[in-house]
């Protein structure tokens, strides 16, 4: 019970400035309807009651149903979550494209080395052929048969065996190098195909991100300044309510659990980024998306982790929520489309979404999928 009170106090402190800066707001504000958008003018429309020229009067189209500010908030939140999922797809495709490009570069070096080796082997074979030509066009075996000098016979026989072995080794090496070169070329072709597929996925994800963020920004831009402030406050209220409910659950961790040395370093890095803007696909140093922040924080602590929130959830060791400690990563929503870093006392640091900055928030302020611990 004491740790819940400590956590509530911490979250209250985090939100205090925002609460004091916001105008007074009651829960009924979420039900306040927005003013309807002005009807679009249609071609050939006339003023009410004016003649259309055919004796018929135009009936004004019914106005669109008005949305409450809470409905707008939920719609904007859904769009940004869809953009977050698309950002994960974009980041994963980018990572795979980078890996594919590196493999192609390595294959290119191997192909270049193979070609140089083949040229060397061909040059050595040509030198052997020229040496035979200088001997009058007779192969060593024929010269051996024609000699009547016993010592020359023995010397020539030894050279013949050595030459045969060298020629055989040369042909084997040439054949093996050519086979390696063919394999490298085939692998390079397959890698290029995969690289192009990743680039197509990346472009599609980028298009979806742009569309979803654009739609959310258009919705918010239709609001008056006062309504935008109320919208921000509604977002905060929704998070505060979720945090309060989480603090009442049985899965609540030990709020004073100590961090490891690496965990402290990761937390220190993440906390130092507070105030920097969210930018999708960003990994710092001036801006971050959610998984870019967690990856960079753990890189600063000396640990390489996957780039995306979904890959961090899939590949990193999982721990129970109740065993969470500072430095652990909290994965949110069923599709693992958001992630933050637990800093202790029921609080996490994260890069929320476009239009927001890296900030502190309640660890339970969103739907928790699970917790992972880089090791």
């Amino acid at each position: 019970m004491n740790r819940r009170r400590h956590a509530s106090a911490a979250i209250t402190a985090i939100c205090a400035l925002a609460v004091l800066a916001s105008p007074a707001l009651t829960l009924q504000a979420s039900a306040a309807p927005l003013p309807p958008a002005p009807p679009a003018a249609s071609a050939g429309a006339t003023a009410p009651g004016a003649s259309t020229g055919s004796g018929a009067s135009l009936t004004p189209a019914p106005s669109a149903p008005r949305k409450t500010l809470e409905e707008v908030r939920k719609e904007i939140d859904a769009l940004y979550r869809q953009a977050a999922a698309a950002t994960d797809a974009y980041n994963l495709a980018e990572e795979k494209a980078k890996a594919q490009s590196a493999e192609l570069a390595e294959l290119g070096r191997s192909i270049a080395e193979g070609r140089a080796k083949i040229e060397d082997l061909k040059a050595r074979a040509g030198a052997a052929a020229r040496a035979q030509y200088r001997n009058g066009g007779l192969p060593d075996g024929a010269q051996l048969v024609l000699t009547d000098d016993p010592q020359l016979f023995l010397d020539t026989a030894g050279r013949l065996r050595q030459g045969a072995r060298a020629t055989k080794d040369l042909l084997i090496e040439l054949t093996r190098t050519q086979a390696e070169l063919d394999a490298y070329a085939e692998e390079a072709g397959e890698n290029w195909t995969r690289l192009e597929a990743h680039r197509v996925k990346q472009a599609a994800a980028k298009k979806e991100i742009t569309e979803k963020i654009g739609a959310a920004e258009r919705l918010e831009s239709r609001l008056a300044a006062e309504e935008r402030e109320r919208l921000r406050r509604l977002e905060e209220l929704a998070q505060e309510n979720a945090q309060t409910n989480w603090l009442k659950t049985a899965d609540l961790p030990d709020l004073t659990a100590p961090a490891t040395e690496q965990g402290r370093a990761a937390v220190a890095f993440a906390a130092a980024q507070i105030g920097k803007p969210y930018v999708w696909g960003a990994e710092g140093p001036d801006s971050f998306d959610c998984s870019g922040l967690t990856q960079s924080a753990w890189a600063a602590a000396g640990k390489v982790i996957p780039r995306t929130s979904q890959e961090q959830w899939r590949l990193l060791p999982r721990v129970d929520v109740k065993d969470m400690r500072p430095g652990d990563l909290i994965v949110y929503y069923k599709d693992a489309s958001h992630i933050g870093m637990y800093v202790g006392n029921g609080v996490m640091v994260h890069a929320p979404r476009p239009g927001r900055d890296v900030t502190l928030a309640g660890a339970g302020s969103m739907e928790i999928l699970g917790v992972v611990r880089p090791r």
Side-chain angles (χ1 to χ4, degrees):
M1 194 63 185
N2 285 336
R3 55 184 183 169
R4 291 196 179 111
R5 282 199 296 271
H6 290 321
S8 297
I11 302 307
T12 300
I14 291 165
C15 300
L17 288 177
V19 173
L20 290 173
S22 301
L25 180 71
T26 66
L27 292 178
Q28 286 144 349
S30 63
L34 292 179
S42 58
T46 60
S51 172
T52 62
S54 61
S57 60
L58 291 178
T59 303
S63 59
R66 293 182 296 178
K67 294 180 180 178
T68 66
L69 199 55
E70 175 64 11
E71 289 172 333
V72 172
R73 182 194 71 78
K74 289 180 177 178
E75 189 173 349
I76 289 174
D77 183 62
L79 287 167
Y80 278 127
R81 282 186 55 193
Q82 291 165 20
T87 297
D88 244 24
Y90 175 91
N91 289 337
L92 184 59
E94 182 181 45
E95 286 295 292
K96 289 186 175 180
K98 284 180 183 176
Q100 224 61 56
S101 296
E103 288 178 17
L104 275 171
E106 183 61 34
L107 285 168
R109 285 191 289 271
S110 298
I111 288 171
E113 289 170 1
R115 285 174 177 163
K117 191 172 183 180
I118 285 176
E119 290 303 315
D120 177 63
L121 291 170
K122 285 180 178 178
R124 287 161 58 189
R130 287 191 296 274
Q132 180 178 318
Y133 177 79
R134 285 194 298 272
N135 290 333
L138 289 174
D140 288 341
Q143 294 180 27
L144 179 64
V145 171
L146 295 175
T147 185
D148 55 1
D149 184 336
Q151 186 60 46
L152 180 60
F153 180 90
L154 291 174
D155 291 344
T156 304
R159 282 192 298 103
L160 184 61
R161 284 194 297 273
Q162 291 174 355
R165 282 197 299 271
T167 301
K168 182 179 178 182
D169 291 344
L170 186 67
L171 290 173
I172 290 173
E173 184 68 11
L174 186 61
T175 301
R176 184 165 63 87
T177 303
Q178 185 61 58
E180 288 177 351
L181 193 59
D182 292 342
Y184 289 147
E186 182 179 358
E187 188 176 352
E190 293 171 353
N191 275 20
W192 181 259
T193 300
R194 288 195 292 270
L195 174 61
E196 287 304 300
H198 295 322
R199 284 176 174 166
V200 168
K201 289 179 182 177
Q202 194 174 356
K206 181 177 181 179
K207 182 174 182 290
E208 183 177 357
I209 294 165
T210 304
E211 288 175 350
K212 299 300 182 185
I213 293 176
E217 288 175 344
R218 285 192 297 275
L219 271 175
E220 194 163 354
S221 70
R222 296 192 190 116
L223 303 175
E226 182 183 350
E227 288 169 329
R228 283 197 293 272
E229 180 58 35
R230 288 167 57 204
L231 178 67
R232 179 186 286 270
R233 183 59 185 139
L234 283 176
E235 290 178 1
E236 293 171 353
L237 280 174
Q239 293 171 5
E240 290 168 13
N241 289 337
Q243 174 74 358
T244 299
N245 291 333
W246 178 67
L247 291 172
K248 297 175 182 176
T249 66
D251 285 338
L252 192 66
D254 178 358
L255 300 180
T256 59
T260 63
E261 183 177 351
Q262 271 192 315
R264 285 194 298 273
V267 167
F269 179 93
Q273 312 315 309
I274 290 174
K276 294 183 179 180
Y278 176 106
V279 174
W280 63 267
E283 305 170 56
D286 299 321
S287 58
F288 297 88
D289 64 19
C290 65
S291 57
L293 176 64
T294 54
Q295 185 193 46
S296 297
W298 271 98
K303 175 70 176 177
V304 177
I305 65 173
R307 171 63 180 90
T308 73
S309 60
Q310 292 174 347
E311 289 294 281
Q312 289 171 14
W313 169 244
R314 188 173 71 88
L315 297 174
L316 294 177
R318 299 181 185 180
V319 297
D320 288 338
V321 174
K322 60 183 176 58
D323 296 326
M324 188 164 52
R325 66 189 185 198
D328 289 350
L329 306 180
I330 311 173
V331 185
Y332 294 98
Y333 306 117
K334 291 182 175 61
D335 59 357
S337 58
H338 190 68
I339 195 163
M341 177 177 289
Y342 186 59
V343 299
N345 205 28
V347 178
M348 61 94 172
V349 60
H350 70 145
R353 65 164 176 83
R356 300 289 186 261
D357 298 332
V358 176
T359 188
L360 291 171
S365 59
M366 292 171 283
E367 176 193 348
I368 295 177
L369 175 63
V371 176
V372 293
R373 176 175 296 163
R375 292 172 179 167

